[in-house]
């Protein structure tokens, strides 16, 4: 997002192209180098210049430029499109629908394999037979876990490289690079923790592997936020001075696109939790769709990413006491990313101090602080409501119905105090 703000990336499409190259090819984040670094930073450069490698030599630069031309799929489809400023609005509308469809499919499959008919027999076994059902159920967890394992390794390796202190200036890393090997071992430990949650050392010390699962989930969430948040930043079209017909797209601090997406996923979260349905396994029990899917994932034979959990106890006594879905991290994180972006393009400059008669503008609360504080308040509200069962007992709570409103209220309050309410909630081209 900082690179987009400084002009280092042409737009969200190019940002996604770079993210793909970073995840799949192990390339370094050359576009995030400081302006004074060798090899060129992002300041004052266009999207093509930002792709330049830090390697010295015309041959290596030409090679990277050629590779870059072959890896501009989303930049071509999104950034070069005349309707590119409306892509964020389309994603904001489609996102809750996609999440709802995915949840409905998961719940349908769970109900099919665990459901009981009126005669007490299994619905799935009556359709495909007990023999085939047993074989299918034995293989299915492994088949569905393979894609998750690959994605986990790729995403964890990406985060390891992002925080690596290595000074290597190569545009890509080898398969056996230290960060890649560490990511493979880290993810393996997360999957092993499902079977052996605790390793006893010397008969006295207990080493819990459960936190490895949370680490993998955080890496997973971070990559999703990096891919999604640039598309939810509003852009406005301005007429190009050199042409009466062409226009350029400029990012704005309007939050309307981001808010549209977040309100949509919040409504999805509330409906999927409070919209209870009869549990297919028992007649007398009702559980929400979201809770049914989350419980099935927590009790599955193999571990799958998706839940941040607090585990109490060791070995066979280990028990999950708290769980938080990744959506409750990803979507608020997108709003925090917008806060960083809004602060970056709205930072007072020396010109502002000159207009104020030589006096520096008074210190203002940043949007990053507002979004973070709103998340803390929303989390506290979730805990209070859950602890005192204010919305009923024995069920999970949709955290987003507390988190997103509190964060948006905090942003609006800061916008009013800074006199930027129209800029924050004003019109954008995607609205």
């Amino acid at each position: 997002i900082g690179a987009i703000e400084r002009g280092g990336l042409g737009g969200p499409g190019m940002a996604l192209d770079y993210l793909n190259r970073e995840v799949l090819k192990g390339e370094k984040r050359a576009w995030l180098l400081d302006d004074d670094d060798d090899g060129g930073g992002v300041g004052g450069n266009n999207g093509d210049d930002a792709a330049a490698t830090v390697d010295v030599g015309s041959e290596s630069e030409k090679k990277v430029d050629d590779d870059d031309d072959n890896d501009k799929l989303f930049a071509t489809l999104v950034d070069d499109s005349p309707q590119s400023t409306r892509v964020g609005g389309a994603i904001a509308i489609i996102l809750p629908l996609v999440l709802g469809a995915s949840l409905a499919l998961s719940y349908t499959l769970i109900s099919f394999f665990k459901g009981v008919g009126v005669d007490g027999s299994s619905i799935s076994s009556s359709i495909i037979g007990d023999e085939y059902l047993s074989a299918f159920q034995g293989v299915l967890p492994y088949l569905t876990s393979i894609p998750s394992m690959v994605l986990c390794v790729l995403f964890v390796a990406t985060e390891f490289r992002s925080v690596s202190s290595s000074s290597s200036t190569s545009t890509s890393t080898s398969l056996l690079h230290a960060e890649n090997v560490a990511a493979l071992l880290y993810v393996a430990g997360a999957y092993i923790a499902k079977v052996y949650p605790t390793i006893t050392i010397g008969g006295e010390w207990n080493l819990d592997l459960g936190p490895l699962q949370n680490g993998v989930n955080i890496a997973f969430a971070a990559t999703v936020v990096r891919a999604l948040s640039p598309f939810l930043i509003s852009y406005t079209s301005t007429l190009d001075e050199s042409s009466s017909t062409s226009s350029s797209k400029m990012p704005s601090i309007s939050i309307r696109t981001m808010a549209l997406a977040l309100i949509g996923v919040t409504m999805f979260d509330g409906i999927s939790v409070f919209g209870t349905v009869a549990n297919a396994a028992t007649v007398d029990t009702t559980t929400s769709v979201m809770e049914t899917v989350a419980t099935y994932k927590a009790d599955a034979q193999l571990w799958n990413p998706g839940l941040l959990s607090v585990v109490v106890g060791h070995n066979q006594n280990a028990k999950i006491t708290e769980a938080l879905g990744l959506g409750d991290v990803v979507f608020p994180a997108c709003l925090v990313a917008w806060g960083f972006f809004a602060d970056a393009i709205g930072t007072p400059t020396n010109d502002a101090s000159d207009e104020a008669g030589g006096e520096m503008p008074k210190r203002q609360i940043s949007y990053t602080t507002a979004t973070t504080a709103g998340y803390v308040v929303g989390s506290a509200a979730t805990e209070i409501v859950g602890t005192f069962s204010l919305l009923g007992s024995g069920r999970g709570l949709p955290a987003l119905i507390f988190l997103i409103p509190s964060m948006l209220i905090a942003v609006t309050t800061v916008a009013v105090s800074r006199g930027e309410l129209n800029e924050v909630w004003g019109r954008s081209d995607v609205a």
Side-chain angles (χ1 to χ4, degrees), residues 22 28-29 153-166 177-187 212 215-216 219:
E22 183 182 345
K28 298 293 185 181
R29 303 185 191 181
V153 173
L154 290 174
F155 292 169
V156 172
T158 300
E159 294 306 312
F160 280 2
R161 287 192 296 269
S162 70
V163 298
S164 173
S165 59
S166 173
H177 198 269
E179 287 87 352
N180 296 339
V181 175
L184 180 61
L185 296 176
Y186 193 96
V187 173
L212 296 179
V216 174

Side-chain angles (χ1 to χ4, degrees), residues 190-243:
Y191 277 88
I192 292 174
K194 180 67 177 182
V195 182
Y196 301 102
T198 305
I199 297 178
T200 302
I201 303 176
E204 297 181 359
W205 301 95
N206 292 317
L207 177 62
D208 293 321
L209 300 180
L212 296 179
Q213 297 176 346
N214 288 339
V216 174
N217 278 318
I218 290 297
F220 210 103
T223 305
V224 174
V225 171
R226 290 179 57 195
L228 180 61
S229 56
F231 286 91
L232 299 180
I233 291 177
S234 298
Y235 285 78
T236 56
S237 296
T238 58
L239 189 64
D240 194 341
E241 295 179 357
S242 62
S243 173

